[in-house]
Amino acid sequence: MTLRVEGVPNNIADNVRGFLSIQSLENQQISSVSRLMYLHRRAEDEIRQALEPFGYYNPELDLALQSQDGGWRAVYRITLGPQTQITRVDVQIQGEGEQDPAFMALLSSNPLKTGEALYHPTYESFKSQIQSLAAERGYYLGRFTEQRIRVDRERNRAEISLTFNTGQRTRISELRFSENPIKDSLLRRYPRFEEGDFLEVVKLIDLQGALIDSDYFADVEVRPVMEEFTEGSVPVEVNLTPRPRSLYQAGFGFGTDTGARMQLGLNRRYVNSSGHKIDARMRLSEIRNDITAGYIIPGHNPRFDQFGLRTGFYDENSKTIDSSRLSFGGFWQKQIDEWEGILSLDLEQERFSFDQDTTQTRLLIPRLQMTKTVSDNRFNTQKGYRISFGVAAASEALLSDVSLLQLSASGKRVDSLGERWRLLSSVEVGTTYTSDFDRVPATLRFYAGGDNSIRGYDYQTLGPKSRSGQVIGGQHLITGSLEVDYEFIPNWRLAGFVDAGNAFDDLNEKIKTSAGFGVRWQSPVGPVRLDLATPIQDSGVRIHFTLGPDL
């Protein structure tokens, strides 16, 4: 048997087919003609029932069932007729939620309006929105006291009446944390609510996310204990599954700036019940090695606030820098809206050499770094930006061998130019004011060139030079880049770029420019970039290989 539904749009035809009992016989051999006839007789009522959700109460139906070529053919032609119009809408919220701004906002966006066509899915969807909002806002006793559509079939008119009584809004009587290795006093600094506050599901979800982000717990379940609901209040239970106390890490990689590199790390997620942490890392590469350790203490708001002590040893032996540094200090990290701020104070001793002359400099150096990153997707960015500002200072009057003030700023944007095209732009500037630049440590000077600077030049090979021609770094820095890429197949892009800038002491120093092209692979761990770049003013071609997010 074949079945055809004609005269209506596809979405309505699909709904009609869903209601038709006779569809169960489609594409089958008919063994019982009496059953076929019975299902055909039911078709008219089923079709009318299927059309009512779309507001069609008076359709004209031409239903034919024919035997042909030893089989059967059902053709149902539908003329929809006029669609029922809404002539009156009365939606009311009663109870404690009547003045709740969330319900007032929902009512202001009510999609059920007089003069509009009656569409039952819209009506049901709006009812669901009311019930969902009530649950989200803690109105667990809420219910519809009236929910009715009056349809005047002859005049194709409809009146809608909805009344929802929210009842009493539920409060949180108690917040309970399951047994875990972290102090209750620290965990209670994570919620954005207190015992006695109204229960809001969005705040429970927020608490769940914050506790997972703390890295103390592998699994977090936050739920109201409805079995203990009484007198308009309910306890909230937080079930916590701790992560392993220690995380050991090892990684290997390669970059054209650093060559082969390796990293080993130990993350002690909780040293004690107060949630203190230890993070220790050793990074080794062909030109730069460092060993760092930090002791981290949660702040008053542990989501965004932490402080601690840190120490490190750094050694670099590149074409430009021959330096080793030992440091010890403290830091305070705080999130302010979308900005991440790090305030630190470090005592640093650096030994560096230029032209076989070795200098040793001690600095007590406070720093402030502010960074803001906005992105639609950190691993595969289509639109977003990152901006950063930094200031560092030292004074000979405060345990330092040289006085200096260093300011820096950088920014990068990713803009979508269509479905497959992107524009990436970046700029970085910096300047140093000092009483004696010769004593400024090598790692605090500015250099240009390399994978993340001016491609086409080797790592940190651009900047002022000594009499012997060795790059010794500059007091100032300006670099910028423009790049366009195109996704030619999923997860693969072709890119073209121009980089420009330099590190310098004198503003009359020449700007270096390079250009090139490359390919990008959107790997599961982030973009992998392979670039071929050539300097405009100089000769040569350089390959650059990098891995990491665009922002």
Side-chain angles (χ1 to χ4, degrees):
M1 188 206 79
T2 60
L3 171 65
R4 291 183 59 184
V5 177
E6 301 177 347
V8 294
N10 289 339
N11 64 321
I12 296 180
D14 290 342
N15 199 57
V16 168
R17 283 178 166 272
F19 272 79
L20 284 170
S21 303
I22 200 173
Q23 190 185 22
S24 63
L25 302 180
E26 189 174 16
N27 300 323
Q28 294 188 21
Q29 202 70 24
I30 302 301
S31 58
S32 173
V33 176
S34 60
R35 176 167 174 77
L36 174 65
M37 294 298 181
Y38 167 72
L39 295 181
H40 173 65
R41 288 193 296 271
R42 293 182 57 181
E44 179 173 352
D45 290 339
E46 291 173 340
I47 292 174
R48 292 184 183 278
Q49 188 179 359
L51 297 178
E52 287 181 0
F54 300 92
Y56 297 102
Y57 285 84
N58 293 297
E60 295 181 9
L61 306 180
D62 180 9
L63 312 181
L65 179 64
Q66 304 167 342
S67 175
Q68 60 177 27
D69 300 328
W72 292 88
R73 182 169 180 260
V75 179
Y76 297 161
R77 296 184 179 88
I78 303 171
T79 302
L80 291 174
Q83 193 171 16
T84 300
Q85 304 294 305
I86 300 173
T87 57
R88 179 175 172 271
V89 177
D90 181 21
V91 181
Q92 297 183 34
I93 302 297
Q94 298 176 347
E96 287 190 7
E98 184 176 0
Q99 299 302 320
D100 189 320
F103 275 107
M104 296 171 69
L106 181 61
L107 291 184
S108 68
S109 62
N110 179 8
L112 305 172
K113 303 182 183 300
T114 57
E116 297 288 339
L118 176 62
Y119 188 62
H120 285 255
T122 302
Y123 168 79
E124 295 296 337
S125 173
F126 187 58
K127 284 172 55 182
S128 296
Q129 290 180 50
I130 293 174
Q131 291 173 312
S132 296
L133 182 60
E136 291 170 7
R137 303 284 288 172
Y139 297 99
Y140 289 112
L141 300 179
R143 62 185 183 87
F144 282 103
T145 57
E146 183 179 18
Q147 44 184 327
R148 182 164 51 184
I149 300 178
R150 301 184 186 88
V151 177
D152 184 339
R153 295 174 179 268
E154 293 183 359
R155 303 171 68 184
N156 292 303
R157 295 181 179 180
E159 296 181 354
I160 296 176
S161 298
L162 278 176
T163 302
F164 187 82
N165 192 313
T166 64
Q168 185 180 8
R169 191 175 183 185
T170 304
R171 293 183 181 271
I172 299 171
S173 62
E174 182 185 3
L175 183 60
R176 305 172 187 164
F177 293 95
S178 65
E179 185 177 350
N180 69 91
I182 305 300
K183 277 183 180 179
D184 197 69
S185 57
L186 172 59
L187 297 178
R188 289 184 178 276
R189 300 208 298 268
Y190 279 93
R192 287 194 169 111
F193 58 85
E194 297 178 356
E195 293 175 350
D197 286 354
F198 289 120
L199 189 151
E200 296 183 45
V201 172
V202 66
K203 291 185 178 180
L204 302 187
I205 295 173
D206 172 75
L207 173 59
Q208 181 183 38
L211 289 174
I212 290 175
D213 290 343
S214 73
D215 202 36
Y216 298 130
F217 309 106
D219 188 51
V220 178
E221 180 190 22
V222 183
R223 69 179 190 93
V225 187
M226 298 308 299
E227 308 89 77
E228 299 182 31
F229 180 89
T230 178
E231 297 181 356
S233 63
V234 65
V236 170
E237 189 173 78
V238 184
N239 295 313
L240 302 167
T241 303
R243 287 184 180 274
R245 193 168 195 170
S246 297
L247 172 65
Y248 300 93
Q249 297 170 301
F252 301 89
F254 178 85
T256 44
D257 282 351
T258 61
R261 56 178 182 251
M262 177 182 74
Q263 175 176 283
L264 301 175
L266 166 63
N267 180 9
R268 190 77 162 171
R269 291 188 171 105
Y270 45 94
V271 177
N272 51 36
S273 61
S274 296
H276 297 185
K277 303 180 180 184
I278 290 178
D279 186 72
R281 300 190 179 274
M282 179 172 66
R283 303 175 182 88
L284 305 175
S285 71
E286 296 180 29
I287 67 169
R288 187 169 58 236
N289 305 304
D290 63 72
I291 301 174
T292 61
Y295 189 89
I296 304 164
I297 302 171
H300 177 71
N301 183 349
R303 294 169 178 247
F304 310 119
D305 188 7
Q306 62 182 20
F307 57 94
L309 301 174
R310 63 187 182 185
T311 187
F313 174 75
Y314 310 83
D315 180 76
E316 182 169 342
N317 189 359
S318 65
K319 294 179 180 179
T320 305
I321 296 177
D322 181 6
S323 169
S324 61
R325 183 174 85 246
L326 181 64
S327 70
F328 178 81
F331 65 93
W332 177 37
Q333 180 175 329
K334 186 175 181 62
Q335 190 85 15
I336 305 172
D337 295 328
E338 294 181 322
W339 289 89
E340 180 184 75
I342 301 177
L343 180 64
S344 62
L345 178 65
D346 295 285
L347 182 62
E348 300 179 351
Q349 186 87 16
E350 182 167 338
R351 183 178 178 274
F352 57 98
S353 299
F354 292 117
D355 291 338
Q356 284 76 50
D357 292 332
T358 299
T359 305
Q360 186 164 287
T361 300
R362 181 184 66 202
L363 294 175
L364 180 66
I365 184 163
R367 293 181 175 90
L368 175 64
Q369 189 77 28
M370 299 294 295
T371 304
K372 178 180 180 180
T373 303
V374 177
S375 173
D376 58 353
N377 186 325
R378 292 297 297 273
F379 287 97
N380 188 10
T381 304
Q382 300 300 312
K383 185 173 180 61
Y385 64 89
R386 184 193 70 239
I387 50 179
S388 181
F389 302 97
V391 57
S395 172
E396 294 178 62
L398 294 173
L399 301 179
S400 298
D401 294 335
V402 63
S403 296
L404 63 85
L405 173 65
Q406 189 170 86
L407 306 174
S408 61
S410 64
K412 186 172 184 179
R413 284 185 62 94
V414 179
D415 292 287
S416 176
L417 300 180
E419 186 176 348
R420 295 179 177 269
W421 292 89
R422 296 190 309 169
L423 173 67
L424 294 84
S425 54
S426 65
V427 63
E428 183 177 5
V429 297
T431 186
T432 304
Y433 302 93
T434 179
S435 58
D436 184 2
F437 187 70
D438 289 339
R439 293 191 64 83
V440 173
T443 56
L444 285 179
R445 302 184 183 196
F446 291 112
Y447 306 85
D451 299 340
N452 298 303
S453 179
I454 302 174
R455 288 162 285 189
Y457 293 91
D458 284 351
Y459 173 65
Q460 295 189 344
T461 55
L462 294 180
K465 298 180 179 180
S466 66
R467 292 180 180 178
S468 67
Q470 182 183 7
V471 177
I472 59 175
Q475 292 182 250
H476 314 292
L477 173 74
I478 297 177
T479 65
S481 176
L482 282 176
E483 178 176 313
V484 175
D485 65 28
Y486 172 75
E487 187 176 35
F488 60 97
I489 60 175
N491 296 323
W492 287 89
R493 295 177 179 274
L494 291 176
F497 57 85
V498 175
D499 299 336
N502 209 342
F504 53 89
D505 292 329
D506 189 337
L507 291 175
N508 294 322
E509 188 75 21
K510 291 182 179 179
I511 295 296
K512 298 290 187 177
T513 307
S514 67
F517 62 91
V519 63
R520 282 89 177 92
W521 172 46
Q522 187 63 41
S523 77
V525 295
V528 177
R529 306 174 191 83
L530 181 64
D531 291 324
L532 191 66
T534 182
I536 302 299
Q537 297 96 332
D538 304 303
S539 60
V541 175
R542 182 169 171 80
I543 295 175
H544 296 269
F545 177 83
T546 56
L547 167 65
D550 291 313
L551 295 178

